[in-house]
Amino acid sequence: MSGDTMRQRSEGGGLENIREASDAVEQSTLSITVEKIYERWRTGGAILVLAVTSVLLYRVDGHLSIDSQVFAGITLLLLIYFLATLRTDISME
C-alpha cells in the first residue's frame, strides 16, 4: 500500500515539473520582463526614494551640494545595477 502512494507522489511531481517547463517556454519576452520587474519592486522603490531625495535636497539648498550629489550618484549606480541584472535575468529565461 505504501509503495502505491510513493509511486503516485513521484508521478504527480514529475508531471507538474513538465507543465511548469512548458509554461515557461510559452511566455513572451514582455511578460518575462514585467514578471522580473514585479519581483524587484523593492529595488525600484529604493531608486524612486533616492531620486526624490536628491531632487528635494537640490531644491532646499538652492545649488548642487555634496549631499545631493551623493544621493544622485547612489541613485544612478542603483539604477545601472537594476537594469544590468534585469537584462541578464531576461536573457537567461
Side-chain angles (χ1 to χ4, degrees):
M1 190 181 268
S2 64
D4 294 336
T5 308
M6 293 298 288
R7 188 177 314 137
Q8 289 174 352
R9 286 183 189 162
S10 65
E11 288 175 5
L15 293 176
E16 288 175 6
N17 292 338
I18 291 171
R19 189 175 306 122
E20 289 173 4
S22 66
D23 289 345
V25 172
E26 294 173 4
Q27 287 183 338
S28 67
T29 305
L30 181 61
S31 65
I32 292 171
T33 304
V34 170
E35 179 182 325
K36 294 297 180 183
I37 289 174
Y38 181 73
E39 289 175 359
R40 297 163 182 249
W41 66 270
R42 288 184 212 120
T43 307
I47 292 169
L48 182 66
V49 167
L50 285 169
V52 168
T53 304
S54 300
V55 170
L56 290 177
L57 281 171
Y58 176 75
R59 292 188 67 183
V60 166
D61 291 340
H63 65 283
L64 201 56
S65 66
I66 295 290
D67 295 333
S68 60
Q69 290 176 14
V70 168
F71 274 93
I74 293 170
T75 304
L76 287 176
L77 289 175
L78 193 57
L79 182 63
I80 291 169
Y81 169 78
F82 178 79
L83 294 175
T85 56
L86 181 66
R87 181 179 177 203
T88 304
D89 284 349
I90 291 170
S91 66
M92 288 176 59
E93 289 289 328

